[in-house]
Structure formats: C-alpha cells, structure tokens
Amino acid sequence: MLVLITILLPIVVGALLWLLPREDRVLSRAIGTLVAGVTFVTTVLANNQGQEWSYRWLSRPFESAFHFGTTPVSYWICLLLALCTMSAIAVTHVPRTRNFTVQMLFLEGAMMGLFLSRDLLTFALFWDLMLLPVFFGLIGWASHPATAWRYFIYNFAGGLTLLLATAAFGVIFGSTDVIGRADVHLAGAWAPWIFAGFCFAFLVKTPVWPLHTWMPLTYSDTPPPMIAVVAAVQSKAGLYGLIAIAVAFMPQYVHQYAPVLMILGAISLIYGALIALVQQDAKRIVAYSSLSHLGLIVIAIASQNQLALEGALVYIIAHGLFSAALFLLLGYVEQREETRSLLRLGGLGRANPKLAGALCIAALAALGLPGLAGFVGEIVILIGVYQTGAVWATIVALVAIVLAAAYVLRLYQDIMNGPEVEDVPVRRDLTWLEGLAVAPLLAALVVLGIQPHALMEAVRVAVH
Amino acid sequence: MSPFTNADWNALVPVAVVAVAALVVLIADLISRTNADRYLSIAIGVIGCAVGAFLAAQQYGHDYNAFFGGFMTGGFTTVFEEIVLLAAAGSLILYGSIGPAPRVAGTTALLLWSACGAMLMAGAANLMTIFLGLELLSLALYCLCGMVDRKTARESALKYLILSSTASGFMLFGMALIFGASGSVMLADFVSPALASNPLFAMGAGMFFVGIAFKLSLVPFHTWTPDVYEGAPLPVTAFMSVATKAATIAVLARFIYAALPSSIGGALLLPIWILAGISMIAGNVGMLAQHDLKRLIAYSGIAQVGYILTALAGGTPLGLRYAIYYLTAYAFMNLGAFAVAAALSTEDEQGSRLVNYRGLGRRRPFLAAAMTFFLLAMAGLPPTAGFLGKILILSTGVSSGFVWLAALLIAGTAISLYAYAKVVRAMYERGEHRTHDAHPFVPLAWASAAICVAVVLVMTFYPLTPSNILPLVK
C-alpha cells in the first residue's frame, strides 16, 4: 500500500492543485513541497518494509498486473527522485508557479510509478505518462515550440517501440509481471527484435548518440528546477530499463550487441565532452556533459561486468545528484544575472561566496574528484570495464574524464572568477531556502563519496 | 398466416422501439404549438435510444436466428447495437447543445432511423438484411448531412450521396456474384468448401469488400470522408463517425468469422489488411495538414479503422473482442471530442475550426483539458483506453502473425501524435488571447464531455471485453 501511496499521492495532489487560482504562488509551492516531503518519507518507509502492491489488470492475451514494489536498485533511484523533486519545488522562481508545481508533482508520481513497476506493461504506461508534464512544461516555457515537439516526438517514438516490444514479450512469455524476477529469460526468433525495441526506447531516453538531438534543446529550454529532475532522474529511466529489463531478461543479446552499445556509448562520451568544451551556454555545457557521463554508464552496462554494473549504479545516483545540483545552481545564476552565456557572466564568486562554494562542490563532483560520489562511480566502472578486456573503452573513458575536467573547470571559472561583469541587475547570494534546497544534494555527494559501501552493498545484492 | 414466430418478431423489438420513437418525435412535433421546443424531440429520441439499449441488453446471451437466419440476436449483435445507440443518443444530446438548429424534429427522426439501419446491420446474417440495413443507414445520413442551410452542407450531402451510392452499387454487384456462385444469400452457407475454388465467389467477395472499404473509408476509398465530415452538421458528423464504422465493422466481422471458407479466407482478406495498413499511414499523415477539427477527426478515423482491422486480422476470437473494445473506446473518445466542439460552437459557426482553439487553455481550462485528454487518448497515451486498446491490438497482431500490421500501427501512431499535439499546443500556447469567451455555458455538452472522460479513463483499468460474442460463428 505504501508504494501505491508513493505513486498516487503526488499525482492526486497535483491534480487537486489545479483548482487553485492560476496566480497563486505561495500556497501551491508550500503544498508541493509538503507533498514532495511526504513522498520522500513514504519512499524511505516503503523499502524498509519491503512493500509490494499488486492488482490484476489483464489476464488475456497475457497476464499483467498493476504490480509495484521496491527493488534495491529502484529504491535508490526513487530516493534520488524524491530528493530532487523536493529541492526543485521548494525554491521555484518561475512564472506560473501553480502550473509548474502541478507538472512537477505529476512528473514525480509518474516516475515513481515507472521505477517501482514490477510489470512491463505498467512500466510502459508510466514511461509514456512521464512525458506529458515535461511536454506541457516546455510548451509553457520554451523559447521555441519546436523544442516541445522534438522532445515529445522522439520520446514517444521510443515509447511506442517499447510498447510493441512489451506486447511481443507478453505474447511470447505469457506474462509481463516479470521485473525483479530472476527466472525469466527470453530467447527465440523474436527475441532479438524485442531486444531492439526495448533498446531503442532506452537509448533515446538516456540519451545516447545519435538519438540525442532532442536533448540539448530540451535541457536548455525547460524551467531550471524541472530540468534538474529530468536530467537527474528521467534520463536514468533508460539506464534503469537497460539494467532491469535488457540485462535481466535478455543477457545473451546484451552480450551479443555489447560492441555496438559500447561504441555508441564511447561516441557519446567523447562527442558530448568535445561539444561541452566549446559551448558558451552554461546549461548546454551541463547538458552535453550529461550526454558524456551517461555514455560512460552505457559502456559499463554493456560490459556486463559485475564490478562495472555496481559502478554504473553508483554513478547513476552520483550523476543524478550533481547534475541536479548544477542545474539548480545555474538556474539561480540565470535568475539573478538574466543570462546564462559564459561570455556575459563572470566574477560572481566574490559577491556570492555561498553560491560559489555550492557550485564548486557540484562541479568538482562532476569532474570526478576523489572523495565525492562521482569519483567512486567512475573508478569502479573503469576497473570493471578494464577487467572485461575492453581496454580501448577504458582509454576512451579516461580521455573523456580529462576533457570533463577541462569543461567543468571552464564553467566554474567563467562564472565565478575573473573580472566582474558590469551592470548586473541583482546581486544576491543564496537565500537560506535555496541553500537548504541544494544542501541535501551536496551532502549526499560527500557522504556517498566517503562512505559508498551502503549503496554498493545494496547494488551487489541486486546485481547478483 | 405469417411463417414467422413471435420470437422472430421479438428479435427486432429493440430496432422497432427506436423506429417508433422516431415516429413519436414527428407526431409530438406536429402537436406541439411552439416550434422552438426542440428539447422535447431530443428528449424523446434519447429516451427511445435508452429503451432500445435496455431491450437490446436483454438479448445478450440469448442467441436466436430470427427470420430463418436473416437476423441474429446474441452477444455480438447486442454489443454493436449498444455502440450504435450510444452514438445516436450522444449525438442527439449534442444537438441540444449547439445553437438553435432548424428542423430538430426531422433531424432527430432521421438520426433514429439511421440508427435503426445500423442496428439491422449489426444483426444481419444474410446479404439482403445487410443491404437493407446499409441503405437505411445511408439514406437517412444523406438527408442529415444536408439538414442545415449551408453551402458546404449541401455539397457534403450530394458528395456523400453520389459516392456512397456507387459503393452500394459495388456491394450489391458483389452480393449478386456471391449469390450466383453459392445459390444462397445466407452468410452461413458460404463456409462450404466447394466455394473455395469458385472464382465467381472470389470476385463477388472482392467487390463486396470494396463496398465495405468504402463505408469504412479505407484508403484509397476514403476521399469522401473529410469533405462529408466537414460539411455535415456537427452532431451528424459525430454520429456518422461512430455508427457507420461500428455497423460496417459488424458486417465485416461477421463475414470474416462466419462466412468465409477457411481455405481461401486468408487470401481473400489480404487486400483488406493491406488497405488497413495503408490507411493507418495515410490517415495519420493526412491529419497533419488539417485546420478543421472535423476534417482532423475524419482522417484520424481513417487511421483508427486501420487499427481496429489489425485486431481482426488474425481472425481469432480474442481479436474480435479487442476490436470491439477499441471500437467502444473510440466511440467515447470521438463523442467526447465532438462534445467539446459542441460546447464551443455558436449559432453561425461550428466550433470546429482549429483557430478557435487557440488559447483555450486559458479561457476554458477544463474544456481544454478534456479535449487534450481525448486527443491523447486517440494518440494512445496512458492512462486512457486508447493506450490499452493499442497494446491489446498489438498483442493480437503479433500473436496472429500480422507483425507488419502491428509495426505499421506503431509508425502510424508516431505520426499521428504530431497532429494531435498540434491541437494541444494551440490550446496551451502563450501569447495574446481573448481573455473572455463569447460562448455561453452549455451544461449538456460539458456533461457529455465529462462522462466520456470518465469512461475512457475507467476502461483503461477495467478492460471489460464482451466474452459472449462468438455464437455467431456457429
């Protein structure tokens, strides 16, 4: 029951918030933060008690159920999601606060449903459902409507192949209530096509080169707090799918197509890093860095190495934490300076020490500084991939990490250091609320960086 | 003495009730002094539909071959009759919501008779009854299309008359050939293996299918659809888009499941599946360029019929159930969209031009939300019956070996989203909008939109499909 509440609470309250007046800012934000907080608590509790909830949906042509429950992997992603949503709603400074809060809560509920699904069909259902709030967010926010279209069409096309693959899976296996079951292995004439259908959806969502072209536009045009959640958690839906569905049910095909996946991952890794290096738009730098970082995780998953998979899961959480923090902080910067072009920013560090400090921690985590969570993930992935004999991939990853240092430091340098830019409208350090929103993300980065055992232990159980 | 028993006549009672209700409407109109009292006609019509639906429901599960097999009752017939009556009642309610329409009584009566024709088709088990039902349905529709004083409406009626009659001609000719080959008009007699090698039968069936494809507006026989839908009055379009399709699918399904010799069924039907596949793509592509809601729904209907036929393609009992599930869902999605359009129509304009929807999210948030919901349901997004319907159709397509149709369905859906999203975007986009709305509050249209939302939502989680629909095969 608790898992069901975790999913439905944000959706239902989100729908009710719509009854508030459109101009309302204070109340919708307060309720939104409260609900996100309660959801965080129920997420924690749901795992402790090993909660599950199931209700039969279809019996023909294949068995399917609204079956939700936590697994060790999904538990950590759900925590990340709850944390990011809370931070994002608490410090909203976007116009149309009510609509934004509704969208955020709906997004949270849909993604909770996705990660808690034990059934492929409900997985597909929430997969499509989570596109809607971002789509409406983009319609209301984006500078050009094409952004919303591109986001939606790409991801919906992925969702459709996911749907077709799910239908085929259900017909062949007789049931879709399979996520988390160890005894399911799909083989036969259709299996490669089913695998391809799933993979297409997952790789679009992640995104991986060459299916990434919706990503930079979306990341730079979505409201900053929302993109913090999308970049931190929604992109993980694809990786989670690769682990929980592709690797779990069709390991032989992952093995067979590992070179393809690895090459796509490696191209994303280098391509993302190189483009991030030359961008002038702060948010786009982080967007392309995401492409790069997620490419590394794809390589790790494709390697199917025990250690690499553990590293992948740690890095999934770490990337979620630091990219959410980066996007939130860049959002604050943009809000104060009314620009996010590196050419027109500079010298903020002197007047805004707290902002600079927070951005510094997030940036260092992004470049993989030892002691922060990003480093643990990276190093474990590198060792794992190296163990499988894919030395070239390890070398590519190392090159990308060096590039990461370059673009992340450039980002920080150009915004915080250097000569101060004249005629800045507002000069205001982090407010206590903004600080409070980002603090848990940064704290988690530090804690997981120093003490990653809890996470890795859970992951080890899951991967076995 | 009549050779027919009471049970024979009882089988027709639901149809008769609806037909009589139409007469009552006309008489009531004669008696009532105030010509303005249009709600009376509509109320009688809706009550007639409700009673007919209730009586039809009584026949569920009671299989009977009335009139020596001319008209069958039972699960299959009942389900299609209910869909038709739902469409009729829904359209009549919409008639009450759009500005003062002239000649309401006549329109109501014609609509009810048209529904009678569709109900006959639902139960038809021989070629004559099929044709009778089809012509009753169509003749009333020709008139209904032209029932308003507008140039486009007259044009629409004429276009529909000419093209649809041509299709009927094809169908009748096909029936004649089938009769020539088999010596019988009973669908049940066609199963004989001797017919499998008879080229005359194949030719007849082919021409019969041309007629069917026309009525279903499958590509390339679809060209009449957008023009007719656009020109016809809004409630008539709503009725036409659901009832004609339901009735024709009933006939086609009965033909597939009951009449075709199994040895040649696959080969004979292949052209239909190919047309369905083309329709899915062409219908969805056609939607992209539309600037009128009714034309958009016409093209979307072309594609949706392709989806429904995908479920039938395997010829499995489960496929038939899913086709009916999707058809029902489609009925509610369509009626819902038309209800929103009706709430936005005024006396002189029909609320179907997409320009009217610009900024609707700001002016009428709930109507806009309902419209968004229906469009997303048609696109197959969760949590709507469209989503579940698609997955069910996909799974039957895959399991019966028609994977290419399933793949075309996916491709078509991806294209369609672009068109639906265009409307959604128009409703929610920012910019300068009229802040207040000239349209009055129309409780009936709002209520029907709300009911449609609820049904489409509930159908997702309780995917009830009729289980007792296959006795027709026996």
Side-chain angles (χ1 to χ4, degrees):
Chain A
M1 207 58 197
L2 217 48
V3 282
L4 195 66
I5 293 172
T6 312
I7 298 165
L8 288 183
L9 182 75
I11 294 181
V12 171
V13 178
L16 291 178
L17 274 187
W18 215 24
L19 298 172
L20 288 176
R22 186 183 304 126
E23 296 76 21
D24 178 79
R25 284 170 169 275
V26 180
L27 192 59
S28 55
R29 193 200 294 183
I31 295 176
T33 313
L34 182 71
V35 170
V38 174
T39 311
F40 184 79
V41 173
T42 58
T43 311
V44 175
L45 291 180
N47 184 58
N48 279 350
Q49 297 163 20
Q51 290 268 339
E52 275 190 46
W53 188 87
S54 181
Y55 173 79
R56 170 63 61 86
W57 189 10
L58 298 176
S59 51
R60 260 174 310 229
F62 46 76
E63 282 180 7
S64 173
F66 290 98
H67 185 177
F68 303 107
T70 51
T71 59
V73 181
S74 63
Y75 170 67
W76 285 93
I77 302 184
C78 286
L79 276 187
L80 174 71
L81 168 62
L83 196 63
C84 291
T85 313
M86 212 158 50
S87 300
I89 296 181
V91 286
T92 319
H93 289 293
V94 294
R96 296 180 295 278
T97 309
R98 181 206 62 176
N99 285 1
F100 169 82
T101 313
V102 172
Q103 286 154 6
M104 287 303 292
L105 287 180
F106 198 83
L107 181 63
E108 182 182 23
M111 277 162 46
M112 282 290 179
L114 180 90
F115 289 114
L116 293 175
S117 276
R118 289 290 188 84
D119 184 288
L120 283 178
L121 190 53
T122 52
F123 183 86
L125 185 143
F126 285 108
W127 183 278
D128 282 349
L129 209 52
M130 74 182 176
L131 304 181
L132 291 176
V134 182
F135 175 66
F136 284 107
L138 280 168
I139 284 182
W141 184 273
S143 50
H144 198 277
T147 310
W149 292 47
R150 199 183 272 213
Y151 168 79
F152 205 54
I153 302 275
Y154 261 84
N155 285 289
F156 187 66
L160 286 172
T161 62
L162 181 70
L163 207 60
L164 184 58
T166 304
F169 187 102
V171 167
I172 290 172
F173 190 73
S175 170
T176 54
D177 190 359
V178 289
I179 297 179
R181 269 170 61 177
D183 58 330
V184 183
H185 289 291
L186 207 62
W190 284 108
W193 293 101
I194 296 175
F195 176 73
F198 279 128
C199 272
F200 178 74
F202 298 153
L203 295 183
V204 167
K205 180 102 262 171
T206 301
V208 169
W209 184 92
L211 306 169
H212 68 283
T213 56
W214 60 272
M215 189 267 299
L217 278 174
T218 305
Y219 279 25
S220 49
D221 267 2
T222 319
M226 181 184 272
I227 203 55
V229 174
V230 172
V233 192
Q234 204 182 75
S235 62
K236 306 303 185 302
L239 299 168
Y240 172 76
L242 276 179
I243 296 170
I245 294 171
V247 174
F249 304 140
M250 291 163 275
Q252 71 275 34
Y253 298 106
V254 178
H255 190 71
Q256 193 176 337
Y257 294 104
V260 179
L261 287 174
M262 277 192 164
I263 288 170
L264 291 183
I267 293 176
S268 307
L269 195 60
I270 295 295
Y271 175 85
L274 286 176
I275 293 195
L277 213 49
V278 297
Q279 287 295 313
Q280 297 302 343
D281 181 322
K283 272 162 99 184
R284 289 210 176 196
I285 293 182
V286 185
Y288 279 107
S289 83
S290 268
L291 181 63
S292 174
H293 288 138
L294 298 178
L296 182 63
I297 304 181
V298 171
I299 291 180
I301 294 172
S303 77
Q304 276 183 305
N305 175 279
Q306 170 76 31
L307 203 57
L309 276 175
E310 286 173 21
L313 287 161
V314 175
Y315 202 54
I316 281 175
I317 302 298
H319 176 263
L321 291 169
F322 68 67
S323 61
L326 280 174
F327 274 116
L328 282 176
L329 291 166
L330 291 179
Y332 303 154
V333 170
E334 184 185 353
Q335 184 200 325
R336 287 171 168 78
E337 313 292 318
E338 291 171 0
T339 179
R340 45 176 202 252
S341 163
L342 292 188
L343 300 174
R344 298 180 49 207
L345 287 166
L348 288 183
R350 226 159 302 145
N352 306 292
K354 290 185 224 158
L355 185 59
L359 189 69
C360 184
I361 299 177
L364 291 178
L367 64 75
L369 189 79
L372 295 170
F375 171 75
V376 182
E378 273 177 7
I379 196 76
V380 176
I381 288 176
L382 287 180
I383 296 171
V385 173
Y386 185 78
Q387 277 179 359
T388 62
V391 181
W392 65 271
T394 322
I395 293 169
V396 166
L398 280 171
V399 172
I401 288 170
V402 173
L403 290 177
Y407 61 71
V408 167
L409 288 177
R410 173 167 163 263
L411 177 77
Y412 180 80
Q413 178 80 10
D414 283 10
I415 295 179
M416 292 302 170
N417 298 343
E420 210 157 323
V421 176
E422 298 300 316
D423 60 277
V424 175
V426 193
R427 179 124 302 165
R428 186 161 49 86
D429 206 354
L430 280 188
T431 63
W432 66 271
L433 196 60
E434 288 166 340
L436 205 61
V438 185
L441 300 171
L442 300 179
L445 276 174
V446 176
V447 171
L448 288 178
I450 298 169
Q451 194 61 264
H453 301 297
L455 178 53
M456 293 190 64
E457 203 57 46
V459 163
R460 197 163 297 145
V461 176
V463 175
H464 270 300
Chain B
M1 287 297 288
S2 160
F4 303 125
T5 62
N6 274 342
D8 284 352
W9 297 110
N10 284 343
L12 279 182
V13 164
V15 186
V17 165
V18 179
V20 169
L23 287 176
V24 175
V25 167
L26 290 181
I27 294 167
D29 187 52
L30 274 181
I31 296 170
S32 91
R33 297 284 165 85
T34 54
N35 200 19
D37 196 11
R38 61 214 182 90
Y39 288 108
L40 181 68
S41 310
I42 291 167
I44 296 173
V46 171
I47 291 170
C49 289
V51 175
F54 174 77
L55 292 172
Q58 305 299 310
Q59 294 178 346
Y60 190 84
H62 297 286
D63 307 320
Y64 183 69
N65 280 354
F67 307 105
F68 307 118
F71 187 85
M72 291 170 120
T73 65
F76 180 90
T77 308
T78 302
V79 167
F80 280 98
E81 281 179 348
E82 301 286 359
I83 295 175
V84 167
L85 287 173
L86 171 83
S91 312
L92 284 175
I93 291 173
L94 296 190
Y95 243 112
S97 349
I98 58 171
R103 288 171 292 210
V104 172
T107 315
T108 309
L110 279 173
L111 204 119
L112 290 177
W113 283 326
S114 188
C116 286
M119 288 167 80
L120 279 181
M121 285 169 82
N126 76 24
L127 295 177
M128 294 298 92
T129 323
I130 292 175
F131 196 70
L132 189 72
L134 183 70
E135 284 308 290
L136 185 51
L137 168 77
S138 309
L139 280 173
L141 277 178
Y142 305 148
C143 306
L144 280 171
C145 287
M147 280 296 265
V148 285
D149 204 13
R150 230 186 18 237
K151 189 164 165 283
T152 49
R154 289 194 295 272
E155 191 186 307
S156 141
L158 191 66
K159 197 172 265 179
Y160 192 28
L161 171 68
I162 293 172
L163 291 173
S164 184
S165 308
T166 316
S168 298
F170 262 101
M171 206 164 176
L172 198 57
F173 194 56
M175 287 175 175
L177 293 181
I178 292 176
F179 178 66
S182 67
S184 167
V185 289
M186 303 297 306
L187 293 190
D189 291 343
F190 302 154
V191 204
S192 90
L195 283 180
S197 54
N198 191 335
L200 204 57
F201 180 80
M203 268 175 69
M207 300 192 78
F208 181 77
F209 288 146
V210 168
I212 293 271
F214 208 96
K215 298 289 176 188
L216 286 179
S217 46
L218 289 179
V219 174
F221 305 105
H222 68 289
T223 45
W224 59 275
T225 322
D227 295 340
V228 172
Y229 275 31
E230 188 189 10
L234 190 131
V236 174
T237 311
F239 176 74
M240 209 167 19
S241 66
V242 177
T244 317
K245 294 214 163 84
T248 316
I249 283 174
V251 168
L252 180 64
R254 194 159 252 153
F255 208 83
I256 295 170
Y257 284 84
L260 278 184
S262 52
S263 48
I264 58 164
L268 267 186
L269 288 168
L270 189 63
I272 286 266
W273 311 142
I274 292 174
L275 293 192
I278 299 172
S279 299
M280 285 189 244
I281 300 298
N284 284 323
V285 171
M287 256 197 307
L288 297 176
Q290 304 310 317
H291 300 287
D292 183 286
L293 184 78
K294 287 199 281 185
R295 289 184 76 89
L296 191 117
I297 287 184
Y299 278 105
S300 125
I302 293 168
Q304 310 263 355
V305 161
Y307 303 162
I308 296 172
L309 291 189
T310 305
L312 290 178
T316 58
L318 217 49
L320 180 55
R321 289 171 61 172
Y322 296 150
I324 290 174
Y325 174 84
Y326 197 84
L327 186 65
T328 316
Y330 169 72
F332 280 102
M333 298 179 232
N334 246 12
L335 286 176
F338 279 115
V340 176
L344 292 176
S345 38
T346 54
E347 218 167 303
D348 45 330
E349 91 174 21
Q350 292 213 320
S352 69
R353 286 169 61 228
L354 289 189
V355 186
N356 297 351
Y357 291 83
R358 208 164 277 163
L360 191 68
R362 194 153 286 255
R363 287 176 287 146
R364 290 290 175 85
F366 287 100
L367 275 186
M371 190 53 139
T372 307
F373 181 80
F374 295 127
L375 293 172
L376 295 182
M378 288 189 209
L381 273 156
T384 65
F387 172 81
L388 189 64
K390 287 222 169 73
I391 192 106
L392 292 176
I393 289 174
L394 284 177
S395 58
T396 44
V398 169
S399 63
S400 57
F402 283 86
V403 182
W404 59 274
L405 264 182
L408 280 178
L409 195 163
I410 288 294
T413 307
I415 300 169
S416 77
L417 186 74
Y418 202 70
Y420 295 122
K422 201 172 75 175
V423 185
V424 174
R425 207 198 79 212
M427 289 194 291
Y428 287 100
E429 77 188 359
R430 289 168 294 160
E432 292 304 308
H433 303 298
R434 288 177 287 164
T435 42
H436 71 283
D437 206 322
H439 302 118
F441 175 73
V442 201
L444 276 179
W446 280 66
S448 25
I451 291 171
C452 290
V453 168
V455 173
V456 173
L457 205 57
V458 167
M459 276 180 79
T460 320
F461 300 106
Y462 297 96
L464 293 176
T465 54
S467 56
N468 196 12
I469 49 171
L470 275 178
L472 75 133
V473 184
K474 289 168 199 147

